[in-house]
Amino acid sequence: MGCVGRAWFRAGGVVLVLAGFLSACIAPRATTAATVTWCADQSSLIVLGDSHSTGWGLPDYEGEGVYAQTEAGWVSTLERRASHEWGTVTTVLARNGAISADFHPGGRWQHTETAVDTVHDLRPPLVLVVLGGNEFARDVPPARFDEHYRGLVQKLRRASPRTTVLLVLGPEPGSRLVPEPVHSWDAYAGVVKAVAADEGVELVDLGEYLPAGGTPEAEGLYLPDDSHLTAAGHRVVHAAMWTRLALWCGP
């Protein structure tokens, strides 16, 4: 059985088995031009994202739309662990409901609209881009998503050429916000994968570790909306992300 199959466990005991198989599935990567900064400097990182990054839906979330520390949220766990082990300072520029267009001029929130400027000012070794789920939920035309998402990645690279950019493609949500959507998840996932390839940046596909929302395999990993993660689902994401960052640069 491949890595994807082994990643799909029900909530009970999922974290106990996850770390071992992820270590086997994600081999250490050689240092490349795209990762050289992060491998040499783990002092800071910035997360650009939506509600999957804020911690929304978890019992102890008190962010009122923006990021807040939670016990199980994958970004919160990553922030605490990276600080403890590497001294990393994490800045989270995320907002519930955010789409890629919100990270361009005219975006709906000041901290998303100015995110590229923040990256320019801080020059972090690493930026995570965790977007696309809300475009899928709203059935935004994939061509428009491509324009805004690709444009954001290009702006980030120009704003801070030293920064390693890591695109994080979420698992397929199990619900939509429009009654008769036209576009499939594959159309949006295809945009993210194409941008990673075209722009020479790194990619983590969380669909390799989590089943699509609303499927039998997803029981216990998603909230009743079949789109947002439970604590168990967040722990799967944290294990995948931590393994990637910890093993990225090899021994």
Side-chain angles (χ1 to χ4, degrees):
M1 185 180 294
C3 293
V4 174
R6 283 182 285 178
W8 291 3
F9 291 92
R10 294 186 186 275
V14 65
V15 182
L16 296 178
V17 297
L18 194 61
F21 75 71
L22 280 179
S23 296
C25 292
I26 303 178
R29 292 168 171 245
T31 302
T32 65
T35 61
V36 64
T37 300
W38 175 248
C39 291
D41 178 8
Q42 297 170 330
S43 61
S44 65
L45 67 88
I46 294 178
V47 180
L48 311 186
D50 53 26
S51 56
H52 288 287
S53 303
T54 64
W56 184 89
L58 294 171
D60 56 343
Y61 173 73
E62 297 180 350
E64 298 184 352
V66 298
Y67 170 70
Q69 274 281 344
T70 56
E71 180 180 355
W74 74 267
V75 174
S76 294
T77 310
L78 177 64
E79 178 180 9
R80 292 191 296 267
R81 192 170 179 184
S83 175
H84 176 73
E85 299 200 18
W86 301 328
T88 308
V89 175
T90 299
T91 301
V92 185
L93 305 175
R95 176 77 192 201
N96 296 349
I99 59 177
S100 303
D102 291 317
F103 292 83
H104 292 276
R108 289 174 289 172
W109 303 285
Q110 192 271 341
H111 72 287
T112 60
E113 182 183 25
T114 60
V116 172
D117 293 334
T118 301
V119 171
H120 175 270
D121 293 341
L122 298 181
R123 308 293 174 106
L126 179 66
V127 168
L128 308 183
V129 180
V130 195
L131 295 166
N134 286 313
E135 282 90 344
F136 170 72
R138 297 180 178 188
D139 204 40
V140 172
R144 187 184 306 164
F145 173 48
D146 187 303
E147 176 187 357
H148 292 145
Y149 190 86
R150 186 182 300 271
L152 173 60
V153 172
Q154 291 172 343
K155 286 182 177 181
L156 290 170
R157 298 190 71 198
R158 290 195 297 269
S160 181
R162 74 181 294 268
T163 298
T164 297
V165 177
L166 175 59
L167 307 184
V168 181
L169 174 61
E172 180 178 349
S175 62
R176 313 291 289 271
L177 296 177
V178 295
E180 297 182 1
V182 174
H183 306 289
S184 71
W185 173 250
D186 287 344
Y188 300 88
V191 167
V192 175
K193 293 175 182 179
V195 170
D198 295 345
E199 301 300 327
V201 298
E202 299 291 330
L203 170 69
V204 171
D205 182 356
L206 295 176
E208 296 180 4
Y209 311 106
L210 283 166
T215 61
E217 297 87 355
E219 182 181 345
L221 298 172
Y222 291 82
L223 296 174
D225 65 5
D226 291 328
S227 293
H228 293 89
L229 299 174
T230 62
H234 275 277
R235 292 184 183 109
V236 174
V237 175
H238 170 71
M241 294 302 301
W242 182 262
T243 303
R244 166 59 68 86
L245 297 184
L247 299 182
W248 210 343
C249 305

